[in-house]
Amino acid sequence: MERALDHLMPMPVVVTPGEGALILNGLSFDVPTPRLQAALRRLLGRLENAGGLPLPILEEGQGTHFLMAVPAAVATYPMPDMDESYRLRIADDGVRLTAVSEVGALRGLQTLLQLFDCAEGSWRLPCCEIEDHPRFSWRGMLLDTSRHFMHKEHVLRLLDCMEVAKLNVLHFHLANDQGFRMECETFPKLHEEGSEGAYYTKEDMAEIIAFAADRGIRVVPEFCLPGHSVSWQVAYPALSASDDPPTRIGETRGAFSMPIDPSREETYAFIDKFVAEMAEVFPDPHFHTGGDEVNPTAWKENPRIRDFMEAQGFKRGRDLQAYFTGRYAALVAKHGKIPIGWEEVLHSDVPEDVIVHLWKDGAYAEGLARHPVLTSWNTYLDLQQPSDWLYGKDPLDFTINGDAPPEDLNMVGAEMTNWAETIHGGNLDMRTWPRGGAIAERFWSPRSYCDERGADTLYARLDVFERHLTAAGSRHQGHAARACVELFESAGEETLGRFADLVEPAAYPFLRRRRLLLERMLPRLFPAPDVERYSDMRRFVDHLPAESMIGREFRVDVFAFSKTGDPDLARTIAERLLVWDVLAKEVQTLACQNSAMRSDGLDRLASGLGRIARIGSSCLRALQKGRSLSPLRAWWYQQRLRTYAYEIFYLDKDVLQRVIRDLRKPDVLNRHNIAILPGVAHLLEMASGERH
Ligand code: ACM
């Protein structure tokens, strides 16, 4: 039972283990509000999903007593200042959950759920006392529904899982170049012409908001302007900064798009009416105005806008953007909402009450400290970084004037992002979980815990956390195998699933740096490989988890072996390498008969897996015999492994050399990591006599 307390995620502030366990025959409860009663029913359903054993509800006095003490009146919509603290006491005489608010009780219920253990035919709970409250009061998840639309069912499932992770804000990114996803009665062409028919009706949105509220989650909409606004301009060309406005959504996928025209009064009359309508749809007091990645070229090229800038004394596009931000923010405030803008809105002319949302630079001038701050710096799930990397970044690690943020900075909170260039409803769970749990813990648990004990135990706890997500409906587990069957119309589900478990997408920052360098160096010879941009989701790479747990475990085992020389561990490693070599041959056989697999490079990847596994076996054999590889053989293996270099995030000092070398590689080997490579590279170093 100690285990359950050790595996909580996010870890509560204070956990005091007690003596023994409470064995439950059923539950008799005393639950004060309909929302909490529904939450408890959800909990019972999940227990049954997870353990296969129901926990019956019994008459008062017959089952284990569960008391929820929640004095505050019921709020219909969770608010930013909601009190999420709770206390949980599990003892011989039952369970007592105390909270100031309904939302606090919801958080406590999630902790309670993680403590249930099914053993010897009954449910049991460890006796303990827990006191808990969040580090940040705003713990969000951005969901981009423009690049790829996410059906309502996918959003609801995400909300269920967000509740497990104790996240409390769905930042709903509803409009971008590739689609306008919200019904608007005042300007119906926005959803009619800006969305290819895929958008949320007001009824859908009301259902999503109510569903979220039942889980203590707020819904903050983002309607990004003046950039990233092709879908608005397709619907209402008069908004455009160009006299030749875009006519199709998504025409500028991946590139900085044409902004709207901030110089015309008609633009603000439009925004005024638009915000008035949306302010009614979304009960949250906050409203995200976007403002990132504005391309000012069109402003400077348009004589009307140029004249306006001159008349106003604006020298740079940034000055005009600040004027626009001020006016958009004022309209948002007029309709009773608090405006938020991405970090590009920072400018001395922008009102101080605009919340600045960090995402890019991580180093800011003192102007930032005038504003309330929300941060998504280093928390981009879509960049495919592994859990320990994401977990290692603290939301307060950015700097202001080179220093840590001042104590009195108005830190609103933090959000992780799910930008959707390579995500749709189908792979959303797999791309979000379990990594999102690592970030969510950073947002909830004390920094001191995350920096030390939390980091040491992260993967063991994520392993348990995943099961709670699955019980809550997440379909991340087994996703790749299911997707491969569909992509390749192949019967080899089991084989492809095991293969996909060993391959990762190369992280986006690597791919992007590589592309930019190539474009700059040799633009004609090397047109941008269409790797990291918008995907039709028909590629193998789109269905791979960012992080191969098997690759990681293998690395951990090899490191342990290098320290201990344990012969049993050596045998386990040898067996695995053999299994992977066989698996590689099976995939190659499947790919021989399947042109879709070949055109997606699975034959090359499988051949790489086999080669790497055989190099690993050869090195291990040498080590087991207490020998070193000959220098020539070691050199040859090293060259071989380089072909499959494992690209994690950032190209380092030998940037040019690596880019040039990578030009010789088939692109498929740049787009994927074969996840056993770092472990095998370590074996090679050991066998070459470089490590002992
Ligand atoms: C952003 O990622 N452009 C906010």
Side-chain angles (χ1 to χ4, degrees), residues 124-385:
R124 46 187 72 204
L125 285 166
C127 291
C128 63
E129 292 204 24
I130 289 176
E131 271 185 63
D132 202 10
H133 61 266
R135 177 177 175 204
F136 293 107
S137 61
W138 180 311
R139 304 174 309 282
M141 161 94 64
L142 177 148
L143 182 64
D144 169 10
T145 56
S146 175
R147 273 53 178 265
H148 284 100
F149 183 64
M150 313 280 167
H151 287 285
K152 187 180 71 187
E153 289 65 32
H154 294 126
V155 179
L156 300 185
R157 196 155 77 217
L158 184 73
L159 288 164
D160 260 333
C161 293
M162 285 173 64
E163 186 191 21
V164 177
K166 296 189 172 71
L167 293 169
N168 67 359
V169 176
L170 175 67
H171 171 163
F172 221 162
H173 185 85
L174 289 162
N176 207 303
D177 299 327
Q178 291 82 0
F180 191 98
R181 305 301 185 186
M182 182 64 215
E183 179 184 7
C184 178
E185 285 168 50
T186 317
F187 301 109
K189 287 190 201 165
L190 284 173
H191 65 272
E192 288 167 4
E193 296 185 15
S195 79
E196 292 164 332
Y199 61 90
Y200 304 102
T201 63
K202 287 192 164 175
E203 211 174 300
D204 289 335
M205 196 52 79
E207 186 182 336
I208 289 169
I209 292 168
F211 189 95
D214 280 343
R215 285 146 185 80
I217 299 171
R218 302 158 42 211
V219 178
V220 175
E222 178 184 348
F223 293 102
C224 182
L225 288 173
H228 287 292
S229 57
V230 167
S231 60
W232 305 66
Q233 297 170 53
V234 167
Y236 292 94
L239 289 172
S240 181
S242 168
D243 293 332
D244 182 19
T247 54
R248 283 184 27 227
I249 53 175
E251 267 177 356
T252 49
R253 276 174 185 163
F256 276 11
S257 60
M258 172 81 64
I260 62 164
D261 181 351
S263 73
R264 300 168 72 237
E265 278 309 306
E266 290 85 340
T267 298
Y268 300 102
F270 184 103
I271 294 175
D272 187 9
K273 290 198 188 117
F274 173 77
V275 176
E277 184 178 335
M278 291 305 135
E280 292 290 316
V281 174
F282 294 93
D284 202 87
H286 292 86
F287 192 101
H288 206 303
T289 63
D292 59 320
E293 300 183 313
V294 179
N295 179 357
T297 313
W299 291 344
K300 293 180 190 150
E301 285 173 354
N302 183 326
R304 183 181 69 243
I305 301 175
R306 225 173 29 231
D307 289 351
F308 178 81
M309 287 177 72
E310 229 172 81
Q312 297 282 338
F314 299 151
K315 295 208 165 45
R316 304 162 303 174
R318 295 193 59 236
D319 304 329
L320 180 57
Q321 182 178 352
Y323 167 82
F324 173 81
T325 306
R327 296 215 42 192
Y328 191 1
L331 292 170
V332 166
K334 171 181 161 188
H335 296 291
K337 306 287 182 184
I338 302 163
I340 310 171
W342 293 106
E343 67 180 55
E344 287 93 328
V345 304
L346 268 176
H347 187 288
S348 53
D349 291 351
V350 165
E352 295 181 3
D353 56 357
V354 173
I355 297 174
V356 174
H357 192 164
L358 314 182
W359 71 278
K360 191 169 59 151
D361 291 343
Y364 305 92
E366 65 266 17
L368 177 64
R370 293 190 299 127
H371 295 267
V373 174
L374 181 66
T375 178
S376 289
W377 187 51
N378 281 329
T379 53
Y380 271 40
L381 285 168
D382 44 297
L383 298 189
Q384 322 281 22
Q385 287 130 331

Side-chain angles (χ1 to χ4, degrees), residues 490-564:
S490 160
E493 175 164 357
E494 198 266 338
T495 304
L496 289 171
R498 287 198 299 130
F499 181 61
D501 281 345
L502 298 169
V503 188
E504 295 168 351
Y508 175 91
F510 158 72
L511 295 170
R512 181 171 162 76
R513 289 272 300 271
R514 174 174 172 271
R515 180 172 67 76
L516 294 180
L517 274 161
L518 292 184
E519 277 178 350
R520 272 179 211 150
M521 280 159 41
L522 305 159
R524 277 178 206 284
L525 273 181
F526 297 100
D530 186 19
V531 167
E532 71 290 282
R533 294 188 181 183
Y534 202 82
S535 167
D536 63 1
M537 316 303 290
R538 301 292 308 162
R539 312 172 307 179
F540 180 58
V541 72
D542 295 321
H543 299 280
L544 300 172
E547 174 171 32
S548 159
M549 292 299 173
I550 295 184
R552 204 192 70 81
E553 282 160 19
F554 179 64
R555 203 163 63 231
V556 169
D557 280 353
V558 170
F559 273 63
F561 170 64
S562 77
K563 292 226 161 66
T564 62

